[in-house]
Each structure stands twice: as structure tokens, then as C-alpha cells.
Amino acid sequence: MDWLDTAQAAGASRVMLTGKLPEVEPGRAHWLAAETPGWRHGAHWLDSPPTGRYYHEATTAPDDPKARPVEVATAAAWFGGARLGIHQAAEAWRLVTAALQRVEPKLTALMKSPAATGQNLWALSMPKGLDPVPVDDDIAAEIHATSGQHHIEQLVAGEGFYEHPDCVPLIDPAVTGPEIPGFAYVDGRFMYAGLCNELAVGPARRLTGEQAAGMFDQTPYAPARYRIQFQVPEGWTSLGIWGVQAEDGRSWYYPNRPGATAETWVDAAELRVGAAHGWRFRFVEAVEFTATKPAVRGEKRAVAARPLDTFAERLTGAREAVESAQVAPVIRQAARAALRAILLQSIGTFASRGRSSTVTVETMNEVPAECMETMRKAAGGRYTYVAPPRMTDRQRAFYHPELAAQVWGRARARVLDGTKREPAGALHVDPSQLLGINGDAIYTTTVPRWALPVEQGGFDNGKAGRLRVQGYLPGPLPVPTTRAARDVLMHRAEVSGYNGEAGGGHE
């Protein structure tokens, strides 16, 4: 890897690769694990997008805790699927840097990753007098064990549908036919940024089922997670509202069969959606977070904590600066993707307990006993193994799973039901037209009216967190019975865009 020597000579600590990356052949070592004369391998991240870490042997000792590696990363980690050359990536990098410095001058440079950049921006955006208290370890563990992230569901019968007795497809090609009249792709604009207002922090307190029922009855907007037992209403014909963890502990399914019963944890925002649509439930217990911070000088009483309000406002401002910049469309697209990566990864990092890494050693004897099952032969007679996740001091300082869980819960609620003043989302689509849902993306056979711009009679006012149409393909088209087929239509629709008339909504 000649670029390591080039980076060393230039005094650079990071190499960013653009263009097509080498293929990783089955059974062969990853290209980042190749022999690197004069360089010692550090801990690599080999999932997509990969990151390699290397130490210059002549200037860093193996046991020096202060040694800093040269990192080899990809432009895709920041700019997603944008096809960029070296100069385009550099221009997009400068644009993102300038946009962030415009909203926070103290953020002097981008960090090594979108997540680290977001963490720094959050630290600089913390409200005066707020030092978020971590939730207790048992509650943090409970959040990890019982809180999913995205609502992901294929709603067409076939290979991609999650088979469960309590799940009913909304479209069955065997009944409705092999074609659909069209394909519409709707998703949220910078969604998480529109959902960070007035979040709560620790400490958290546990409530009994009776206490939870009283709190929801009196203050349904109190920041909390509820453990409930529920039943799908008789006559229900749409998709499921509340996710339930499958037996494998990893998958989630959304019961929608009338009469089906289950138990799960939901965010207060999700609970309000179900209650508004007639779903019946019983409280088992709850965890309430702290919505206020102590008063500081100049404040007469405790005020809303707002741990992420300024952070989200600044990222939104940076995005607006990117949108108004006089640059080529591909540069704007890349910068937009970078800001989205900062937002998404920052929220995810609040719930991060570290991640695994691939370590390269010279001999088998250097592989820890607990990692032997992951050991593989590498180039040059060396060995690699996967080290388990370990939380660093920096990660511990930013560890607030209660923040991530609230944003994720709000996002699942928003994609189903919009807002009280602007009803939108999957529950406002005729079930016979609903193909699937993937995070903040909704796929339908017609364009919902609520997804149009305000001037065309919809609810999209251009702000963060609004659901808007991204593209439409006129039919007839084959019914997408797999997620892969659906994704193909999604990408085609995005390229096609949309300028026509909307279909009806569903109330």
C-alpha cells in the first residue's frame, strides 16, 4: 500500500479512497489485511464501509499507548453512493466543513468519522447548565434488549414477507393479480433532525402498570417507554403499529391480524398512535425519563432539558447552507449525504457500546482464547481474529441510549401517522395500495396526496422531518414480492422523480 508511505511523508493521519474498491473474494483475506512492508496492522473494521488502521514501524513502538495510526477509509463512509473522483470528494469535504463552521464556528474541522464529527457538534451545542445524567445500568441494558430502530416490513405476499401467524399481507398477487398500477417512493426529509426537539434525559424512574396508566391518562406526552400487552382491533385492515421482538431476539414483526395479542415495549409517541387508531392495550410497567434540567442563573425554575434541540437546528442550518451553495449537483448530493451520515450515526452512537474489530497478529499464540473461533489465516503467514466490542472512554462519555430510543420511537410513529395537525404516513394510505415500509421510506402503488408540496395540496412544507414524494413510476409493473425487487423499483422511481398528480389518501 504505497499510499501509507505517501501519507507518512506528508504528515497525514488519514487516507480516503474514492472509486471502486477491490472485491473481497470468498475464503480470501480482506484487501485491508494485505502485507504492508514497514507498517504494522492495527485494529481494522472490515464491514462496509471498511476502515483500516496501520502503525509506522520505524516511528511507533508496539507497546506505545500514545501511538496514533494512519487510517485508511472510504469516501462512501461520508458520501454514500455518490460517484466521486478525488477532486469532487475534496470539494464536497470542503463544502461540508464550511456549512458546519457556518452554524458552529468552534467546529474547526471534520473528524475521522461522521459519528465523531456529530459528537463534537453535540458537545458544542449542549444547553447551558445541562450535564445529562446517564440512566441506570439496568435500564440501559433494558433499552438495548427491547428497543428496535427502524420499522422494516414487506407487505406483499411472497418470498420477502415475514411469515408469522399474526401477520397478514396487504397485497397478495394470487388474489389481486401479478401487476400494480404504479410505484411511488415516499420518504422523510432529514427525518431525525425533525424529531430531536425536547427529548428527555436521565435519571429515569420505574413505574408500575397502575402508575403508567395514570401517567398516560394525565400526561400522554410525558417522555417514557411503556411495556404493554395489546390486541389488534377486530376489523383492522392495515399494517401493524407496534413491533414485537421475534424469538431469535434480532428480528421484529408487526402483528396486524385482527384479534392477535402480544406484549412489547413502545415509546410514548408510538403508544399515542395506537391509542388514536383504536388499538386496545394494558399497561404492564413503564420507565419515565427526566424532561427538565435544574435552573441556572437567570432562570426562575427548572426548564426543559432540550439536549438535542440546538444540535439538530445546527445540522438543519448546515443542510440549508449546502442546498443554497453554488456547486455542481453531484457535490451537493455528496455533501447532503455526509450531513445525513453525521445525523444518523450521531443518534446511533448514543446507543453504542463499542463495536468489534479485526486484529492482525504474527502468531497463533497471540490470539486470545475467547477469540479462537474467529481466527483466520492472513497474508504473510499471519493471523486475524475478531476482537469483541469494547467501550472506550470517549464512547462512555457519549453513551445515552435513552436519547437514541426516543428518536427511533418518534421516527416509527411519524412514518405511520405524521403529526396531529398534519395526518400523513402509512396509516393514511389505502391498505390495498401499501407495498412496504423501510425506516422513513414508504412504498405505495399511487402517490399519496399528503406527500405533495403544500402548494399542490399536500403537507410537505420543505422542513426537516416531513414525508415527501421522491419519485413515481407509472404502471403496469410487476408486483415486487421481494425486497430486492422493491429496491430496484425504488431506485428507478428516485431517478424518474415526480411531477404529476397525486392519488387519494386514506383516512
Side-chain angles (χ1 to χ4, degrees):
M1 294 187 183
D2 293 341
W3 9 274
L4 290 175
D5 294 326
T6 302
Q8 175 70 14
S13 61
R14 174 172 43 192
V15 176
M16 184 176 290
L17 305 179
T18 62
K20 184 176 176 59
L21 299 177
E23 297 287 341
V24 180
E25 299 179 13
R28 301 290 297 273
H30 196 281
W31 55 273
L32 284 175
E35 291 191 68
T36 51
W39 292 84
R40 185 173 64 257
H41 285 256
H44 302 321
W45 171 254
L46 301 185
D47 283 355
S48 183
T51 301
R53 298 176 180 87
Y54 306 87
Y55 294 88
H56 192 237
E57 291 181 335
T59 56
T60 60
D63 56 353
D64 182 4
K66 296 183 179 180
R68 293 290 179 265
V70 171
E71 285 199 359
V72 177
T74 67
W78 286 85
F79 306 126
R83 296 183 177 181
L84 303 175
I86 296 174
H87 299 295
Q88 290 174 315
E91 184 178 356
W93 185 271
R94 290 191 293 269
L95 177 57
V96 174
T97 303
L100 288 172
Q101 287 180 337
R102 177 176 175 178
V103 296
E104 177 44 81
K106 293 181 181 178
L107 192 69
T108 56
L110 303 185
M111 303 297 289
K112 288 187 176 181
S113 70
T117 302
Q119 288 174 330
N120 276 13
L121 179 61
W122 182 54
L124 292 168
S125 305
M126 194 75 70
K128 182 180 179 181
L130 176 63
D131 184 10
V133 176
V135 295
D136 291 341
D137 290 345
D138 64 311
I139 291 178
E142 188 174 74
I143 291 174
H144 280 285
T146 62
S147 176
Q149 185 172 353
H150 300 302
H151 184 157
I152 298 176
E153 195 172 14
Q154 168 79 348
L155 297 168
V156 179
E159 183 182 337
F161 182 73
Y162 186 90
E163 294 293 342
H164 189 280
D166 291 335
C167 296
V168 180
L170 302 186
I171 296 176
D172 187 348
V175 177
T176 60
E179 295 180 331
I180 53 177
F183 182 90
Y185 166 37
V186 174
D187 78 353
R189 176 186 295 104
F190 215 40
M191 178 65 90
Y192 284 0
L195 303 172
C196 288
N197 57 300
E198 297 193 26
L199 296 178
V201 294
R205 69 183 185 111
R206 292 191 177 276
L207 304 176
T208 66
E210 183 177 354
Q211 291 171 326
M215 181 174 70
F216 188 73
D217 182 58
Q218 297 296 320
T219 54
Y221 286 87
R225 301 184 70 237
Y226 294 90
R227 183 182 173 191
I228 59 171
Q229 294 173 342
F230 68 90
Q231 183 175 41
V232 180
E234 294 298 334
W236 187 257
T237 60
S238 191
L239 78 169
I241 293 179
W242 295 321
V244 178
Q245 213 164 15
E247 292 183 359
D248 62 14
R250 299 186 302 274
S251 306
W252 292 80
Y253 67 96
Y254 290 80
N256 69 333
R257 178 182 60 80
T261 60
E263 180 175 300
T264 193
W265 282 87
V266 297
D267 183 80
E270 297 174 278
L271 192 59
R272 293 194 297 272
V273 171
H277 287 268
W279 283 44
R280 301 180 65 179
F281 52 91
R282 184 182 73 83
F283 294 97
V284 179
E285 61 176 314
V287 171
E288 182 188 15
F289 303 116
T290 301
T292 60
K293 67 180 180 71
V296 296
R297 181 175 297 179
E299 297 173 345
K300 296 181 178 180
R301 56 183 176 82
V303 297
R306 301 180 182 272
L308 291 183
D309 287 52
T310 302
F311 167 78
E313 289 167 4
R314 286 176 171 175
L315 276 179
T316 300
R319 192 176 188 276
E320 291 170 354
V322 164
E323 294 298 329
S324 62
Q326 300 299 309
V327 295
V330 67
I331 304 302
R332 182 178 295 105
Q333 175 191 354
R336 191 188 297 139
L339 291 173
R340 183 174 184 271
I342 292 171
L343 175 62
L344 296 182
Q345 293 182 32
S346 297
I347 300 301
T349 299
F350 285 126
S352 174
R353 293 179 290 187
R355 67 181 187 181
S356 59
S357 59
T358 300
V359 180
T360 303
V361 293
E362 298 296 327
T363 67
M364 291 178 58
N365 294 335
E366 297 175 73
V367 179
E370 64 272 18
C371 301
M372 289 298 291
E373 291 186 358
T374 67
M375 184 184 69
R376 300 288 186 273
K377 286 187 176 181
R382 295 168 300 172
Y383 297 86
T384 65
Y385 68 90
V386 178
R390 181 175 59 86
M391 189 180 292
T392 65
D393 291 340
R394 177 182 173 86
Q395 288 170 329
R396 192 170 290 106
F398 289 97
Y399 180 60
H400 286 279
E402 73 282 1
L403 296 179
Q406 289 173 84
V407 173
W408 293 338
R410 289 181 176 189
R412 292 191 296 269
R414 176 67 63 86
V415 79
L416 289 176
D417 205 25
T419 65
K420 189 173 182 179
R421 294 180 58 185
E422 300 173 346
L427 291 174
H428 300 273
V429 173
D430 186 318
S432 67
Q433 300 173 358
L434 192 54
L435 298 164
I437 184 171
N438 187 44
D440 63 1
I442 301 171
Y443 312 105
T444 67
T445 61
T446 63
V447 177
R449 186 166 299 281
W450 45 257
L452 294 177
V454 171
E455 55 269 23
Q456 295 182 32
F459 292 140
D460 177 22
N461 60 5
K463 293 184 179 179
R466 293 299 192 274
L467 293 164
R468 87 288 203 203
V469 59
Q470 287 280 64
Y472 176 74
L473 296 174
L477 297 166
V479 180
T481 58
T482 66
R483 292 183 183 178
R486 192 184 71 192
D487 288 346
V488 169
L489 293 178
M490 178 196 72
H491 292 303
R492 286 178 55 195
E494 187 173 23
V495 171
S496 175
Y498 179 74
N499 295 305
E501 294 295 323
H506 177 72
E507 300 302 331

